[in-house]
Every structure is written in structure tokens, then in C-alpha cells.
Amino acid sequence: MTMIKCLIVDDEPIAVRIIEKHLSAFAGFEVVATCSNALEAMPVLCEKEIDLLFCDIQMPQITGVDFVRSLRYPPKVIFTTAYRNYAIEAFELNVVDYLLKPISFERFAKAIQHFLELEELKNNQESVSEYTGMNRREYIFLKADKKHYKVNMEDIFYFESMGDYVIAYTKQKKIITKERIGSLPEMLPSHEFLQIHRRYIVSVRKIESLGPGFVEINGIKLPIGRQFKADLSRFLQNG
């Protein structure tokens, strides 16, 4: 059984013990380390593979919100705090849950269930089927408007980065999701999607034409970044 590795960051020892006690009731979860502040937690995240982070918000030196915001590739996060007023900021970071202290076991269990549901969605994204001799994902899930939208790969034209958000342009509609474009390649089949610009990832099958410095998809001209030209040329030659 693969263990889910957890890190607890909280400056209150009693809060750490309560989380550890609640967590011990669930099979498959392992507390890798506990830290009293974000600065202690940083090297742990660098050295160990953490799946789930329990993080207090009001801590010395740096708040839990600022700490999670600073992480380039954060694990799944459950905030644990005595303060309600950070909830909007927290959920903008796409966290799993926001637990108010004192944390009851029943409320904790709901957060764990939500985490497990998200893990199941992630595993579904990694499901593959055989296609022309290669493994091909048929769809991905994109979170938007507090829902997870199932999007077929064949319906996607391209993705456009808008800072901390990505717009997916599909046959049916535009979907704005809280993702950075750098996280998309691992979700997409590499033989079907290619980054052509720091702001754009395109479906190669949807390219209608190429011109000097652009590709055309669904009647829209998208720029080719200088650093991506070689990748596009290699892809076309091998394709």
C-alpha cells in the first residue's frame, strides 16, 4: 500500500498532537515530520516528497498563506487555524480544506474525505487507453466555478496562460482554471500537445497552418516564442 506522506506545520504543540491523533484513525497516512513554523518546513519540502500539508496560518515570521503562496509546486494543503478571516485568501490558493480550531474529528474526517476524492480524480486523469500504438489520455479534469469539468483531449484547441490562471479553449466553451501553465505538461499527452510560447500550449492536431512566427488554430493566430521554435521544428519533423 502506498502511504500518503504528511507534513504538519503549526506553532502550537497541542494542535500538532490533535492533528496527529485524528490522522492516526485513517489507514495509509504517515506523518513524515512536524514543524513549528514555515522556515522549518521549507527544507523538509525540499528533501522529502510530501503529499498533504497541514498548515497553521498565524505563525511567527511568515503566515501559512504566504508560505503556501511562495511554494512553486505545493502539495495538497489543508489549513488549520483559529481565524475565519483568511478563508477567501486560502481558497484562492486552491486548498483542499480550511479547518477552524478546535478541530473536531467529524470535521477533520470530511477534509480527509475531500482529499481522497481529489486524489481519485487525479488518478482518473492518469488513466490511459491504447491509441495508435501509444498510451493516450482521453480526458482531463479542470477545476472551475467550484466544479471539476471533464474535458476530452480531442475537444481542446489550446491553453492560454493568464498569470496564476489558465484558459482552456475547447470546442464547447472557454474554461478558466486556477492552474499555472507550467503544471499542464504533466497532465497532457506529450505527443499531442506542445508549448509554443510561454503563454500558449496547443493541440498539435488542431494546427491549421504555420506562418513566420505563428501557428493558426481555429482561425486564431498564436505566436511562436523564440525559445520554442526548435521544439516545434523537431516535433514536426518527427511527426
Side-chain angles (χ1 to χ4, degrees):
M1 179 180 182
T2 303
M3 299 296 286
I4 295 166
K5 300 185 184 304
C6 304
L7 171 63
I8 303 172
V9 184
D10 199 308
D11 61 340
E12 298 177 35
I14 189 168
V16 173
R17 290 197 295 271
I18 289 171
I19 294 170
E20 287 182 306
K21 182 180 178 183
H22 287 346
L23 199 56
S24 68
F26 298 89
F29 289 81
E30 173 189 1
V31 177
V32 172
T34 63
C35 301
S36 60
N37 58 64
L39 296 183
E40 286 182 16
M42 287 177 182
V44 177
L45 287 168
C46 290
E47 295 164 9
K48 300 181 184 296
E49 192 170 321
I50 302 299
D51 303 304
L52 180 58
L53 169 64
F54 294 90
C55 190
D56 189 16
I57 290 182
Q58 284 281 23
M59 295 185 292
Q61 297 162 315
I62 179 172
T63 69
V65 170
D66 288 337
F67 171 50
V68 172
R69 189 180 286 127
S70 74
L71 299 175
R72 187 173 182 185
Y73 300 110
K76 291 286 192 298
V77 177
I78 294 176
F79 277 123
T80 57
T81 180
Y83 300 90
R84 296 178 180 273
N85 52 309
Y86 291 96
I88 294 175
E89 282 184 88
F91 282 111
E92 284 177 348
L93 293 171
N94 206 25
V95 299
V96 173
D97 214 330
Y98 187 94
L99 301 182
L100 287 172
K101 299 175 181 177
I103 302 168
S104 69
F105 179 77
E106 290 74 18
R107 185 64 184 84
F108 187 88
K110 286 183 180 179
I112 293 298
Q113 181 60 38
H114 188 200
F115 167 78
L116 293 173
E117 288 170 356
L118 291 174
E119 285 297 286
E120 185 177 356
L121 280 174
K122 178 183 172 183
N123 292 334
N124 286 340
Q125 289 180 0
E126 294 170 356
S127 299
V128 293
S129 62
E130 289 299 315
Y131 178 74
T132 64
M134 295 179 288
N135 284 331
R136 176 182 182 268
R137 285 185 193 166
E138 295 181 333
Y139 56 84
I140 58 173
F141 282 95
L142 297 175
K143 184 178 180 181
D145 306 322
K146 299 182 181 180
K147 300 178 184 177
H148 286 86
Y149 290 90
K150 181 180 177 181
V151 183
N152 293 325
M153 294 293 182
E154 62 185 22
D155 291 339
I156 299 169
F157 289 111
Y158 62 93
F159 297 92
E160 180 181 8
S161 171
M162 299 292 288
D164 290 335
Y165 292 83
V166 166
I167 304 175
Y169 293 85
T170 76
K171 288 181 180 178
Q172 290 78 23
K173 58 184 171 182
K174 292 192 300 186
I175 299 172
I176 302 175
T177 183
K178 184 76 161 56
E179 288 281 356
R180 297 190 72 87
I181 200 162
S183 66
L184 289 181
E186 65 186 35
M187 300 165 59
L188 301 168
S190 60
H191 57 281
E192 291 187 38
F193 289 86
L194 185 68
Q195 186 159 6
I196 61 165
H197 188 276
R198 62 184 179 82
R199 288 185 56 196
Y200 296 102
I201 292 177
V202 303
S203 168
V204 177
R205 290 192 294 166
K206 297 294 193 300
I207 294 176
E208 297 166 352
S209 63
L210 290 94
F214 70 87
V215 300
E216 189 170 0
I217 295 179
N218 198 32
I220 305 294
K221 291 181 180 179
L222 305 176
I224 302 170
R226 240 185 333 189
Q227 69 191 85
F228 298 96
K229 284 183 178 178
D231 290 340
L232 180 59
S233 296
R234 278 194 297 272
F235 193 97
L236 294 173
Q237 289 166 9
N238 295 333

